[in-house]
Amino acid sequence: MIVILGFGIEIFTTQLISIWFAISALINLFLISMHASLKWQLIQFIVTGTILLLIFRPLAKKLQPKFQPMNAADGIVGKTGTILNDQRVKVDGQSWKYATDTKLDAGDLVKVIALNGVTLQVQKIKEKED
């Protein structure tokens, strides 16, 4: 029962704590089959679970992918937009300040190549459509 509970808790959390005690409970199944006393089962459960936790949790945390929350601007690089005037470009329905190395006119289509703070670095991809 403790095995199922430990694995069940770990499914809903990502703290990697109950998994080690669930493994310890699995080892206890072997002790039960050997007719070990309840005292030895408890000692094994606590000691093994604690040792597994102290040894493997730091390793497992290092191997876990890091969560990096996205903001609205993270997906803007690579998108196309239309130049509105000499300071603004419209990308995904939003107006952004832009910077570029070339002369751009209103209506030019551009591709976002980088995001520097709140300024988009753009490059021209096509002549404006008339």
Side-chain angles (χ1 to χ4, degrees):
M1 180 68 175
I2 293 176
V3 175
I4 296 169
L5 182 63
F7 283 116
I9 290 171
E10 200 59 52
I11 288 172
F12 295 107
T13 66
T14 58
Q15 298 303 310
L16 299 172
I17 295 175
S18 60
I19 188 81
W20 311 117
F21 289 98
I23 292 170
S24 182
L26 277 175
I27 294 169
N28 246 359
L29 289 176
F30 174 73
L31 290 179
I32 291 170
S33 71
M34 300 298 291
H35 303 289
S37 69
L38 181 60
K39 174 180 130 182
W40 288 109
Q41 291 176 36
L42 273 169
I43 290 171
Q44 181 283 138
F45 177 76
I46 293 169
V47 170
T48 306
T50 304
I51 289 171
L52 288 172
L53 176 68
L54 293 174
I55 291 173
F56 290 110
R57 185 171 188 259
L59 177 65
K61 288 298 251 183
K62 284 181 186 175
L63 296 175
Q64 244 183 350
K66 303 288 185 242
F67 173 72
Q68 295 179 355
M70 281 185 56
N71 61 33
D74 285 337
I76 199 120
V77 175
K79 298 229 176 168
T80 59
T82 306
I83 298 297
L84 299 175
N85 57 41
D86 60 346
Q87 295 179 353
R88 309 297 289 180
V89 60
K90 187 174 188 175
V91 180
D92 276 351
Q94 293 182 324
S95 176
W96 292 80
K97 184 176 178 183
Y98 74 90
T100 186
D101 296 334
T102 60
K103 170 80 169 103
L104 297 173
D105 298 315
D108 285 345
L109 293 177
V110 293
K111 180 178 180 179
V112 179
I113 56 174
L115 174 65
N116 301 319
V118 294
T119 303
L120 299 180
Q121 185 70 35
V122 299
Q123 71 182 37
K124 190 173 185 177
I125 58 173
K126 190 170 145 181
E127 290 295 320
K128 65 181 174 181
E129 297 179 15
D130 293 317

